[in-house]
Amino acid sequence: KAVVSTQSGHYGRDPKDEGEYTVNVTFCGVDVPKAPFKVKIYNDGPRNKVDPKKVKVEGPGLTGDMILPDENAWFKINYLEAGPAEPKVEIVGPDSQPIAFNVEQDGKGEQYVSYKPPKFGMYNVAINFGGMPLPNSPYKVKISPKVDASKVKVAGLAQIVRIGDSPVFNIDTTTAGEGKMEAQVVSPSGKLLDFVLDDDDAGHHTLKINPSEMGTHTISLVYGKVPVPHGPFSVKVRPESEPDKVKVQIENSVIRLGEPTKFKIDSTEAGNGDLVVRILDSLGNEVEVDHDQNGYGLDTFTFTPKKEGEYVVDVTFAGEPVTEARLAAEPRLKLDKLNIFGDGLNSNKPLKVGEECKMTIDASRAMTGDIVIREKDPNKMGAEDHADLELLVVGPDGRPVTLEIEESEPGVFKVAFTPDKAGNYLFVAESEGVAAPKCPIPLKARGLKSVKVYGPGIEPSGNLCGFDTHFVVDAREAGEEQLFVDIVGPGTGEFKPVPTITEPKKGLFNIKYDVSLHNNYDVNVKYGEDSLNQGKPYKPKVHTHSVGAFPSTRRRVEIQITHLSLEAPSSCSVDDYIDIRLKYAQRFKSTAKVCGPAQPPTVKVIGPARKLVDTKTSVKDSTYKIRASPVEVGAHKVVVRCSDSDLVYGSFSNMFEITK
């Protein structure tokens, strides 16, 4: 027992516990040199009776081998030969907090110490015996992971989980080391969710849950007491069905008549439920639909509109409406917007045989997509030969004409054909048996090369004044058209030649005309709008008759019929005698003696049937009087013959009508 004497400056205290004490001595409030002092107190006597070196310790609780957090870490202390003392143990964790431990006396001189490290880290285990630390105390115990949790692979977290589903998540620890897999599943309301965790003892685990709440569930995974990185994992649980998540993809609200129309429906995120698609036409009738399921939740529907109008696509999912899309079915080709133009279509100008006829069909504003235009041939029609627009040209013989069709630019087609014969052609453009506006379109083809013009009336010689001359126009192979003949020459008024045109046969024309004056004439002949003879007039020459010859010192004179005057009644009866006076013009009296009384002219009167009428002639000076006795009704002609040449009045003034 220590005694404290204040007079001598000694202090004393009775320590009650064994161990090391600290004694601090101050004088006048100042520490004395070497203070404070360490003093060890022993219960069983002097120090030399206890030897910490003879204390033996062993166990994973001092090494950390195979110890994980929350697992039992133990070690034994054997102090049987170390002296009369009791071991003292103190354990401090990684955060410098004391760690609870349990001590069990295992016989005299031996203790069993166990503790559970709460987490990974460095632990200090201090063991003292007889107030003195063991040689290796404090022991550094490192609790470290025995697995590589970063190599744990979790599959299935991205899947869509719905109420009523029992999703399974696959966990692969084959490369993470050997450890125990633990899991915890928390619902959106914070409740722990039951689960089933299985493994095959080969590193493959399955986690199965049965969620009953909508919302985000968290899954925490711990492997070998190490949380799996990137956790806790979130799994969103959605309603059993979500019709608003159904995606209906219809590319165009305008569809083409008779063409398969496809649309796609994606219900991969819509949950569980039946997908029902109905298509109704404008009358409310359900249309047949083909269904092709490409994969889970990916569907393609196809239908073919067979008539114009509005179609309704009605889609429901899990009994709930999704959409009601309206589609307008239009023809592939709108005939009212089709523009057809070209040779012979928009003008009265006829086509020409042997020359290519070019037409253009502009469907750029009339089509709702790519179209097919082809020549119509009933002999080649088939189900696979569908065309949006069919073209046909029928020739004069009723047979189709071969067409050449080429698309010069998108929606614009060039059509060409060559008429091989003259006549009327018919151009037809139709779609599905419906003719395009203004169709059928009549076309005319004229083969001017096949028109033949012949006869003395167009020849440069052989035509005489006062006599009918004629020519023929043969257009029987040139098609039906009107014939125009115009004779241009010196005569005017009553002396202007007027042609008479008759058509004894279809396309065969006879043209007659009389010319009062001798000269060169132009005969212009047009068939339809085109001039014959390559656009040049025929140039016949009309000659007069010689009425006398003069001495060589005098020039030769020809007296035209206008130098004569014929006096005759315009009409008379068959019971009458007709007096016809033929008189030379006064200014030719002196030169006309050759045809005077010494050589009287011969006058003939010819009836309608080209029969001669009896005549009697008397002459006085230069006037000749012819009395005729007609016997038939009709037009008569007077023919005057002088010096072997006929003088004939070509105008109607020399004609007179005989009546009863």
Side-chain angles (χ1 to χ4, degrees):
K1 181 178 181 180
V3 178
V4 178
S5 174
T6 59
Q7 294 181 351
S8 61
H10 291 87
Y11 296 86
R13 185 176 295 276
D14 293 328
K16 296 180 180 181
D17 297 317
E18 184 182 64
E20 186 178 66
Y21 288 78
T22 300
V23 179
N24 189 27
V25 182
T26 64
F27 183 77
C28 296
V30 180
D31 292 341
V32 299
K34 297 183 180 180
F37 302 96
K38 301 289 184 180
V39 179
K40 294 183 178 181
I41 303 298
Y42 301 98
N43 291 328
D44 299 329
R47 180 181 176 183
N48 54 7
K49 291 184 179 181
V50 178
D51 187 0
K53 293 181 180 179
K54 292 184 179 181
V55 177
K56 298 177 182 179
V57 293
E58 64 175 347
L62 297 178
T63 62
D65 293 341
M66 304 303 294
I67 301 299
L68 295 174
D70 296 325
E71 291 185 354
N72 191 41
W74 61 271
F75 59 90
K76 288 182 179 182
I77 304 174
N78 189 325
Y79 57 93
L80 185 63
E81 298 178 359
E86 290 289 333
K88 300 293 182 180
V89 178
E90 183 181 358
I91 303 175
V92 179
D95 51 3
S96 300
Q97 295 295 321
I99 302 299
F101 58 90
N102 184 44
V103 179
E104 295 180 6
Q105 193 70 33
D106 189 14
K108 186 174 179 60
E110 191 174 65
Q111 289 182 349
Y112 179 86
V113 182
S114 63
Y115 67 95
K116 291 184 178 182
K119 58 184 177 181
F120 292 110
M122 188 67 72
Y123 291 77
N124 289 324
V125 179
I127 304 176
N128 292 334
F129 188 77
M132 295 177 288
L134 270 60
N136 294 325
S137 180
Y139 293 91
K140 301 292 184 181
V141 182
K142 186 177 182 181
I143 306 299
S144 58
K146 305 303 183 290
V147 298
D148 186 355
S150 65
K151 294 184 178 180
V152 176
K153 300 176 182 179
V154 183
L157 294 172
Q159 66 180 298
I160 297 175
V161 180
R162 299 190 176 277
I163 297 294
D165 291 347
S166 298
V168 176
F169 307 97
N170 296 311
I171 306 171
D172 185 357
T173 61
T174 53
T175 60
E178 185 175 352
K180 181 181 179 181
M181 175 60 67
E182 299 173 277
Q184 185 183 61
V185 182
V186 181
S187 69
S189 63
K191 297 179 180 180
L192 292 178
L193 188 68
D194 292 336
F195 59 86
V196 177
L197 182 62
D198 293 325
D199 69 87
D200 62 355
D201 296 328
H204 299 96
H205 309 261
T206 58
L207 176 64
K208 181 179 180 181
I209 65 175
N210 294 285
S212 59
E213 296 181 37
M214 290 187 297
T216 301
H217 293 60
T218 57
I219 299 177
S220 300
L221 299 177
V222 176
Y223 186 61
K225 297 298 181 177
V226 180
V228 176
H230 309 298
F233 303 98
S234 296
V235 176
K236 187 176 181 180
V237 179
R238 293 160 65 170
E240 183 178 3
S241 63
E242 295 178 278
D244 59 321
K245 295 292 192 299
V246 176
K247 300 175 183 177
V248 181
Q249 182 182 357
I250 301 177
E251 296 182 356
N252 199 336
S253 61
V254 177
I255 57 180
R256 303 180 72 180
L257 190 64
E259 184 172 300
T261 300
K262 293 184 179 182
F263 59 92
K264 298 179 180 179
I265 297 181
D266 183 354
S267 58
T268 53
E269 297 183 3
N272 303 317
D274 293 331
L275 177 66
V276 179
V277 175
R278 296 171 64 242
I279 299 179
L280 307 177
D281 61 17
S282 57
L283 299 178
N285 299 321
E286 190 166 346
V287 178
E288 183 179 354
V289 182
D290 292 332
H291 180 198
D292 181 19
Q293 189 166 5
N294 306 323
Y296 176 75
L298 297 175
D299 301 84
T300 299
F301 296 87
T302 306
F303 78 100
T304 302
K306 296 182 179 179
K307 58 183 178 180
E308 292 185 57
E310 186 179 70
Y311 288 79
V312 177
V313 180
D314 182 21
V315 181
T316 60
F317 185 79
E320 296 294 328
V322 174
T323 186
E324 192 176 88
R326 297 183 180 274
L327 309 178
E330 295 184 353
R332 293 164 56 91
L333 186 66
K334 299 179 181 179
L335 292 179
D336 58 333
K337 294 185 178 180
L338 197 67
N339 187 18
I340 305 176
F341 57 93
D343 296 342
L345 295 178
N346 299 330
S347 67
N348 294 324
K349 184 177 180 180
L351 309 178
K352 294 183 179 180
V353 174
E355 293 186 9
E356 188 177 56
C357 169
K358 298 180 180 179
M359 295 178 289
T360 299
I361 298 179
D362 185 355
S364 57
R365 295 174 57 249
M367 60 188 190
T368 57
D370 294 336
I371 62 172
V372 176
I373 294 182
R374 71 165 183 204
E375 181 180 359
K376 183 176 183 179
D377 186 353
N379 296 326
K380 297 181 180 179
M381 291 297 291
E384 69 282 0
D385 296 324
H386 175 78
D388 300 292
L389 186 67
E390 293 182 311
L391 308 180
L392 178 66
V393 175
V394 180
D397 54 2
R399 297 180 180 179
V401 178
T402 301
L403 303 179
E404 295 180 4
I405 304 173
E406 179 184 0
E407 188 172 11
S408 59
E409 58 184 272
V412 179
F413 298 82
K414 300 294 184 181
V415 181
F417 74 96
T418 302
D420 57 352
K421 57 175 61 69
N424 293 326
Y425 287 73
L426 203 61
F427 173 80
V428 180
E430 62 180 27
S431 176
E432 301 290 343
V434 178
K438 300 182 181 179
C439 285
I441 302 175
L443 304 175
K444 293 182 179 181
R446 298 294 172 253
L448 296 183
K449 294 181 180 179
S450 64
V451 178
K452 301 175 183 178
V453 183
Y454 56 90
I458 60 170
E459 300 297 331
S461 61
N463 299 299
L464 300 176
C465 295
F467 280 95
D468 280 339
T469 186
H470 69 281
F471 62 93
V472 176
V473 175
D474 187 352
R476 287 175 290 184
E477 296 182 2
E480 186 178 353
E481 196 57 81
Q482 189 172 358
L483 180 68
F484 299 93
V485 178
D486 183 38
I487 302 174
V488 180
T492 59
E494 63 174 334
F495 299 109
K496 177 177 174 57
V498 177
T500 301
I501 303 175
T502 58
E503 189 178 7
K505 293 183 180 180
K506 199 70 172 179
L508 182 64
F509 300 90
N510 290 333
I511 300 93
K512 294 182 179 181
Y513 66 92
D514 285 340
V515 179
S516 303
L517 306 177
H518 82 106
N519 210 319
N520 292 323
Y521 287 82
D522 290 343
V523 178
N524 297 300
V525 183
K526 292 179 66 177
Y527 192 65
E529 296 293 327
D530 297 304
S531 297
L532 303 181
N533 196 31
Q534 299 180 348
K536 299 177 182 180
Y538 298 95
K539 293 183 174 296
K541 185 173 182 180
V542 179
H543 300 270
T544 58
H545 308 277
S546 297
V547 296
F550 297 91
S552 59
T553 56
R554 308 273 312 267
R555 63 185 177 85
R556 181 182 177 89
V557 177
E558 290 185 356
I559 301 176
Q560 300 185 36
I561 54 176
T562 52
H563 300 156
L564 299 172
S565 63
L566 178 64
E567 296 176 359
S570 60
S571 65
C572 61
S573 170
V574 293
D575 298 327
D576 297 333
Y577 289 103
I578 302 170
D579 285 337
I580 301 171
R581 294 180 181 274
L582 180 63
K583 182 169 65 174
Y584 288 105
Q586 290 297 320
R587 61 193 179 101
F588 292 104
K589 281 184 179 180
S590 58
T591 59
K593 289 181 180 178
V594 215
C595 198
Q599 279 187 312
T602 303
V603 179
K604 296 179 180 180
V605 178
I606 303 175
R610 302 190 67 83
K611 294 182 179 180
L612 291 177
V613 179
D614 292 337
T615 58
K616 292 182 179 181
T617 303
S618 62
V619 81
K620 182 180 181 182
D621 195 9
S622 59
T623 300
Y624 297 83
K625 182 179 180 181
I626 303 96
R627 175 165 287 185
S629 300
V631 294
E632 56 183 337
V633 176
H636 289 60
K637 180 179 289 186
V638 178
V639 179
V640 181
R641 189 175 188 82
C642 183
S643 298
D644 297 326
S645 294
D646 288 338
L647 301 177
V648 180
Y649 284 82
S651 66
F652 286 103
S653 61
N654 75 321
M655 305 287 289
F656 56 88
E657 190 76 18
I658 304 298
T659 64
K660 290 186 177 182

